Amino acid sequence: MATGTLQRGRLRRPEIKIEIRRCRQSAWRTFARHHYLSGQLNPASVCYLATWRGEPVAFCAVLNAIGHVGVRRISRLVVLPDFQGIGIGGRFMNAIADIYREAGDRLRITTSHPAMIARLRASPVWAITDVRRGGSTWGKFARKKNIRATSFGRSVVTAEAVGEEG
C-alpha cells in the first residue's frame, strides 16, 4: 500500500542489459541531433550501436588518431535522451575500449561535455592525459562561420582507456 513517503534505498533501478554491435554510418541519423557539438560524422568512422530490447539507445563512432599508429579515438558518443543519466554511455564507452584493447590498439576520447568529464575522472578504466582550459581557437573561427562545433570557453579533456572495468 502506498504511504505517500519515499524511503531512501527502496526504489531499484531495473537491470539494463545493452547489446553492442558494429553498424552502418546511416544509424547516425537517429543520434545526430542529440550530439552536443556537431551533427557531422566523419566518413572514415567505424560505428557501433548499443541496443536495449532491440531498440537503439546509444551510438559511438571511432576514428584512427592521425599521426599515432595503433591509437584510435572516439569522435562521437551519443546516448538518446530517454536513456541518459543511468550509466549506459559509460558502460558503452568501456565496452568499446575493450574491443580496441583486445585488438591491440589504444583508445582515447576528447570531450568538453561536463558530465562526460566527470565520468572519465571517476572511472578506473580511463586516465586523464590532457586538460586544456578555455577550449580551442578553432572555436573563434567556428563562431564567425556560425558552426555549432566549438568548445570555446570550456575546458577540454583527453582521456585514454588504461584498464578494464572491475
Side-chain angles (χ1 to χ4, degrees):
M1 180 169 167
T3 64
T5 62
L6 178 64
Q7 295 179 1
R8 193 175 240 346
R10 299 274 297 165
L11 299 177
R12 298 284 180 237
R13 182 180 294 170
E15 183 178 24
I16 297 175
K17 288 191 174 193
I18 59 173
E19 294 181 10
I20 299 169
R21 63 175 173 85
R22 287 222 15 211
C23 67
R24 296 181 185 266
Q25 290 184 354
S26 59
W28 174 242
R29 282 184 235 136
T30 303
F31 299 88
R33 68 186 181 103
H34 301 291
H35 192 269
Y36 77 110
L37 290 177
S38 169
Q40 297 177 354
L41 184 66
N42 187 308
S45 299
V46 176
C47 302
Y48 298 88
L49 186 66
T51 59
W52 179 57
R53 296 182 177 171
E55 295 294 321
V57 297
F59 177 92
C60 183
V62 177
L63 292 168
N64 290 329
I66 297 172
H68 300 276
V69 176
V71 179
R72 309 290 180 243
R73 67 181 181 88
I74 294 175
S75 67
R76 295 289 182 266
L77 179 66
V78 180
V79 177
L80 292 177
D82 288 349
F83 298 91
Q84 291 177 4
I86 56 176
I88 289 175
R91 288 182 18 227
F92 185 31
M93 189 171 60
N94 292 349
I96 299 299
D98 288 343
I99 290 168
Y100 284 91
R101 184 177 25 261
E102 289 171 11
D105 292 328
R106 293 163 45 199
L107 185 66
R108 294 179 180 157
I109 185 169
T110 298
T111 183
S112 63
H113 193 285
M116 180 60 69
I117 292 171
R119 169 70 185 198
L120 292 167
R121 286 189 194 283
S123 174
V125 176
W126 296 86
I128 304 295
T129 60
D130 189 35
V131 177
R132 295 181 189 253
R133 308 267 180 227
S136 139
T137 56
W138 156 251
K140 292 176 187 177
F141 172 81
R143 281 198 321 275
K144 284 181 185 176
K145 298 293 183 182
N146 199 25
I147 299 172
R148 209 170 54 141
T150 178
S151 60
F152 189 73
R154 295 190 301 249
S155 292
V156 178
V157 170
T158 299
E160 184 168 325
V162 295
E164 295 181 31
E165 196 162 18

